[in-house]
Amino acid sequence: MSEHLLTTRGFTRDSAVALLDVAEDMADTQRRSVKKLPTLRGTTVVNLFFEDSTRTRLSFEAAAKRLSADVITFSAKGSSVSKGESLQDTAQTLQAMGADGIVIRHSSSGAAHVLATSGWTRAGVVNAGDGTHEHPTQALLDAFTIRKRRHGDDSRGRDLAGLSVVIVGDVLHSRVARSNLWLLTALGASVRLVAPPTLLPAHVEGWPVTTGIDLDAAIADGPDVVMMLRVQRERMTEAFFPSPREYARLYGLSVARADALPEDGLVMHPGPMNRGLEIAGAVADSPRSTVLEQVQNGIAVRMAVLYDVLAGERA
C-alpha cells in the first residue's frame, strides 16, 4: 500500500506491474452487471480541482463511487478560493470535515507534494495533475492500455519490455509526457520525445529518453506506439511555432503518417484533442487509435490507485 500517489518517478518495474495487475482486477469487476464494490465504504474522497477538468474529474468520481466511497467534488470557481482562500486553509477545512482521501488538480507544479507533506491534512493525496509537473494516473492508464492491446487477457504480470514509444508535440508544457517517460521506461519501454525545438525542455540530460525534431524520421523507425500531446495554448505566454497550419504540417499525425506506422502500431492521445492540429480526425477514429479505450481504462486504473492509497492501514 502507498501513502500517496504524487509522481511516477519512484516506480520500479515490479511496483508498476503490481498496480497495473490490481487495475486488471478492477476492470474485471466493471464487466459485471453490478459494478459497485464495498471496498471503500465509509471513506470520504474529496475531488479538489483548482483547474477545469471533465475527463479526469468524472473518471475519479466514477472510480470512487464504484468503490462505495462518499465523494465530495470541490471546484475552485465559485468557492472561497476565488475570494483568496489559500491551499492551506482549504486543506485544513477538508481535514476538519474528515476527508480520508484528496484528489488534487492544480495549476502550480508541486501543489500535490506540498499538500501531502505539509501536515495540513492526514488524508491520502492523489495527484490528478499539477502544473507542468506530472499526471501519474494518466501515465498509468496509458501503460495499462498499451499492455492490454499487446497482451489481451494474458496481461497480468507483463511489462512493456522491448516496446518503442514516441511522444510527440508540446513536451515543454506536458505533465502527461513527464509522467509517461518515467513509468514507461520503468516498465522496460524505450521512449523518444519529438517536438519543435521551442517545445522541447531545455534540460533533459537526466531523463531516460532520446529526443528529436523530425516526426517523419521517428515514424520511419517503426515505433510500436505514437502518443500525441495536446498543444496547450492556455500555458503558452509566447509564440512557440509560426502558425497552427505549420505545426500540423510538421508535427501533426496525418492519415499518411499513420499509414506509415507498423500494422499493429498504436495511436494514443490523452485528450481533449485538437482535431486537425495535432491529430487528423480520421486517425483519431481509426482502429489503431486507443483514445476511447484510454477513457474506459481510466476508471479501473483510478479504482486501483484509490484502493492502493486508501484501503490499507488508513482505512
Side-chain angles (χ1 to χ4, degrees):
M1 296 291 175
S2 304
E3 189 175 4
H4 309 288
L5 177 63
L6 308 177
T7 174
T8 59
R9 193 164 184 166
F11 274 101
T12 63
R13 184 263 181 201
D14 289 344
S15 63
V17 168
L19 188 53
L20 294 178
D21 286 351
V22 174
E24 289 279 356
D25 295 336
M26 296 298 180
D28 287 345
T29 70
Q30 298 311 293
R31 286 190 280 271
R32 306 185 315 202
S33 57
V34 178
K35 296 179 172 61
K36 267 201 166 187
L37 300 172
T39 313
L40 295 184
R41 184 177 294 153
T43 299
T44 299
V45 175
V46 178
N47 286 332
L48 185 60
F49 278 62
F50 292 88
E51 280 188 325
D52 293 337
S53 170
T54 302
R55 286 168 180 75
T56 304
R57 178 176 56 80
L58 292 177
S59 184
F60 268 111
E61 278 188 27
K65 287 177 178 177
R66 290 180 189 180
L67 291 171
S68 300
D70 298 316
V71 181
I72 300 171
T73 296
F74 172 99
S75 176
K77 288 183 179 178
S79 72
S80 294
V81 172
S82 62
K83 302 174 185 176
E85 182 173 86
S86 68
L87 178 61
Q88 177 179 353
D89 292 330
T90 302
Q92 290 174 332
T93 298
L94 296 177
Q95 177 61 39
M97 291 179 175
D100 300 291
I102 299 176
V103 178
I104 181 172
R105 168 169 284 200
H106 202 284
S107 59
S108 297
S109 298
H113 179 78
V114 169
L115 183 63
T117 60
S118 61
W120 301 332
T121 176
R122 293 187 297 277
V125 176
V126 177
N127 182 3
D130 59 332
T132 59
H133 177 227
E134 284 218 36
H135 192 353
T137 60
Q138 180 68 46
L140 284 162
L141 72 88
D142 290 342
F144 182 94
T145 302
I146 295 169
R147 193 174 78 153
K148 200 69 173 171
R149 273 283 188 116
R150 284 289 164 183
H151 302 298
D153 293 336
D154 194 31
S155 292
R156 282 180 178 80
R158 300 287 195 103
D159 57 22
L160 303 179
L163 294 184
S164 59
V165 181
V166 175
I167 301 177
V168 184
D170 186 2
V171 178
L172 181 65
H173 302 100
S174 178
R175 52 198 178 201
V176 172
R178 286 165 175 79
S179 284
N180 262 300
L181 71 89
W182 295 114
L183 183 67
L184 294 177
T185 53
L187 286 165
S190 62
V191 176
R192 184 175 185 177
L193 306 177
V194 176
T198 53
L199 290 176
L200 277 173
H203 302 290
V204 295
E205 296 84 3
W207 293 4
V209 299
T210 58
T211 61
I213 60 173
D214 189 335
L215 176 56
D216 291 312
I219 288 176
D221 289 339
D224 298 291
V225 181
V226 174
M227 184 181 297
M228 307 306 295
L229 300 173
R230 183 172 66 86
V231 175
Q232 300 191 41
R233 292 167 172 160
E234 73 276 11
R235 300 189 196 279
M236 294 183 181
T237 56
E238 54 189 285
F240 286 87
F241 47 86
S243 68
R245 179 179 292 183
E246 183 75 356
Y247 182 90
R249 185 178 71 82
L250 294 174
Y251 295 99
L253 189 61
S254 62
V255 172
R257 285 185 171 127
D259 287 344
L261 291 170
E263 186 176 348
D264 58 352
L266 303 182
V267 172
M268 309 187 79
H269 195 298
M273 294 180 286
N274 294 307
R275 288 175 180 253
L277 182 58
E278 62 246 5
I279 188 169
V283 177
D285 299 329
S286 69
R288 67 167 79 243
S289 169
T290 66
V291 172
L292 293 180
E293 289 164 58
Q294 289 167 263
V295 175
Q296 181 180 18
N297 293 336
I299 296 175
V301 166
R302 288 171 176 128
M303 289 173 70
V305 167
L306 291 173
Y307 171 82
D308 186 58
V309 172
L310 299 177
E313 293 179 4
R314 178 182 280 105

